[in-house]
Every structure is written in structure tokens, then in C-alpha cells.
Amino acid sequence: MKKVSVSSLLAQKKANQKITALTAYDASFAKLFDEQGIDILLIGDSLGMVLQGEETTLPVTIEQMAYHTRCVSKSVQTALVMADMPFMSYATPAQAYDNAAKLMSAGAQMVKLEGGEWLLETIQGLVQRSVPVCGHLGLTPQSVNVFGGFKVQGREEEKAQKLIDDAIALEKAGIQLLVLECVPTSLGQKVSAKLSIPVIGIGAGSHTDGQILVMHDMLGISANYMPKFSKNYLIECGDIRQAVCQYKEEVRNGIFPSSAHSFE
């Protein structure tokens, strides 16, 4: 299989071929997911919740992210490796440049930042310095205390339009992917249609250009709860490799997410 790149992901969007993504935090699972043909592996700051038992992603440090990025990148041959920039690691452009360099040096091929218009200068600077960037809008977990919990975003017309405007601005600033989390299906469809870059949904309906899930949710082993937008594939298959394959096929064939895993 050819190495997945931002160019090949863009070609998938243009060909209307759904993109598949999962989080990964260690070499063994990363190798398994890579061998099953998952397009993108994200070292998510979700590791704070699923690995460390934290209530939010906020305590995760850049050193921890770099460590797990190094573990994942060592065993990946094909998938695009993307790493989250953790809370307050990109509060200023200069800080973002330093911390992005740590993740790229650890093996990331792209970094992901949460936020809208306020990040434009930072994104432009990262791209100018040869760091590919993925944006993240909608429910941005690092803003959980501002939102007052993990809540669906963009249900009101004004907030939906603001999200669309932010997405367009982020693309103009240079992002090459966008993760869109916990928004109504109709909004996910509008954002995907507005942008020329791929939009990867998680709780954003079936009309985005691809889907991503936290691996612990997809395997039904999360310690806390199963989000509405996720699905336990392991319980249906009884085998991890088959579960990953079923997830991949259901995404590519438009079966997942169904209305049961989406927000109206």
C-alpha cells in the first residue's frame, strides 16, 4: 500500500472516497490499525482520559504527547500520523512553533490544534515553517470548562454560521485537514461542502469526508461511558482485527455513522 499523505487524502475527498481514522497511543495498536488499512492515526490528548483516568484532556503535557507519538510512529508504515497539541501548548505562536517541533521530531507528520479565528496567525506561521496543520472545530474538548461540559455545538443558527466562517478562515490560513466534533448532521454536511480540504467527523453525521473514533470507544473498553456518536465494534466481531476492518468498511460504505450515532 502507498503511504497516505495530505495529497492522497485530498484525492479521496475529490473522488468521494471516505477517509478512516482512529486514535492510537502505542506501537502495538498502531501497527494493527495500520495493517488493516486505516488512513489516519491520531495520537490524541484523549490519552489523558482513556489511559490516565483523568476527567478531561487538560492535564496532558507536551512531553507525554511526544512520548506516545514516538511509540506510534515507530510501527506505522502507511497511515498518516497526526498528533494533538495539548492544552496551552500553543497559547502564542512562538510557543506553538517550539511544541510542534517536539511532536514532529517524535514522528508526527501533522499536528492538530483546537480553535477558530484566534489561531490564524499561529497556523500561518506553522505552515510557513513546514508544519502541516489539522484544525478542530465544534466540541473542542480543551474548552470543556468554557462550554460547561461535553455538549453538542452549533445548534443555534448564529453559532452554526460562526463555525462555518471559522472553518473557511482556517482553510485560508493553511490547514490541510479539519476535525469536526459533535455538531448537527446538517452542519457537518455544510462545512464539508464549503471546504476544499477533507473534513473528518466525530459525531458530525455521515456527510463529512471521513470519520474518526477513539480506539477505546470503538472497542468498547472505555472506562467511563460510550459516547452517542461511537459504536462498539468489538462486541459484534469478537476479534480486534475484524472489528477494525468492519469499522473501516462501514465508514467507506456510508453505513457508519447512522442516525443513531448522529445529532439532529
Side-chain angles (χ1 to χ4, degrees):
M1 297 178 64
K2 293 183 178 180
K3 178 68 178 176
V4 177
S5 65
V6 291
S7 297
S8 67
L9 294 173
L10 181 58
Q12 283 185 243
K13 177 183 174 90
K14 291 180 178 178
N16 199 29
Q17 297 174 351
K18 297 289 188 180
I19 296 164
T20 59
L22 285 170
T23 64
Y25 314 98
D26 65 32
S28 296
F29 275 108
K31 185 174 188 292
L32 187 153
F33 297 160
D34 189 46
E35 290 174 345
Q36 306 313 308
I38 297 299
D39 297 310
I40 301 170
L41 295 183
L42 169 67
I43 302 92
D45 58 1
S46 50
L47 68 87
M49 301 174 74
V50 298
L51 297 187
Q52 299 174 345
E54 303 286 357
E55 292 186 358
T56 71
T57 64
L58 304 189
V60 177
T61 67
I62 190 68
E63 290 76 20
Q64 291 167 344
M65 290 302 306
Y67 168 81
H68 287 279
T69 297
R70 188 169 290 106
C71 292
V72 167
S73 64
K74 285 182 178 296
S75 64
V76 174
Q77 299 296 318
T78 303
L80 181 79
V81 176
M82 180 164 64
D84 271 337
M85 298 276 284
F87 180 64
M88 292 300 289
S89 68
Y90 50 101
T92 66
Q95 188 181 24
Y97 306 155
D98 289 342
N99 287 321
K102 294 176 182 178
L103 297 181
M104 297 293 286
S105 296
Q109 297 162 294
M110 176 176 279
V111 299
K112 182 166 73 64
L113 291 72
E114 298 181 8
E117 187 177 2
W118 70 275
L119 278 173
L120 299 184
E121 179 186 353
T122 296
I123 291 167
Q124 290 170 347
L126 285 169
V127 173
Q128 289 169 354
R129 289 159 177 79
S130 303
V131 178
V133 179
C134 174
H136 187 155
L137 293 173
L139 172 57
T140 46
Q142 292 174 15
S143 301
V144 61
N145 291 320
V146 176
F147 294 148
F150 295 98
K151 300 178 180 179
V152 179
Q153 302 297 306
R155 279 186 160 146
E156 301 85 355
E157 183 176 350
E158 181 179 348
K159 291 182 179 179
Q161 187 58 53
K162 178 62 167 63
L163 191 149
I164 293 171
D165 293 342
D166 278 347
I168 293 171
L170 291 179
E171 181 177 18
K172 288 181 179 178
I175 67 167
Q176 293 174 293
L177 287 175
L178 177 69
V179 169
L180 191 57
E181 182 169 356
C182 283
V183 301
T185 296
S186 59
L187 182 53
Q189 184 174 16
K190 288 177 182 177
V191 173
S192 299
K194 289 280 187 181
L195 301 189
S196 60
I197 61 172
V199 177
I200 311 299
I202 176 167
S206 60
H207 301 292
T208 55
D209 303 303
Q211 301 292 327
I212 185 168
L213 288 178
V214 172
M215 58 163 281
H216 292 70
D217 294 340
M218 189 271 293
L219 298 174
I221 56 175
S222 292
N224 297 320
Y225 74 103
M226 175 67 73
K228 171 184 168 65
F229 54 73
S230 193
K231 179 178 177 180
N232 183 347
Y233 282 92
L234 183 58
I235 199 171
E236 293 187 2
C237 300
D239 177 85
I240 292 177
R241 288 176 176 80
Q242 290 180 11
V244 175
C245 283
Q246 184 174 329
Y247 163 69
K248 181 181 74 173
E249 292 306 312
E250 287 193 2
V251 170
R252 291 186 173 174
N253 292 322
I255 299 171
F256 178 83
S258 67
S259 58
H261 307 104
S262 305
F263 304 99
E264 302 303 327

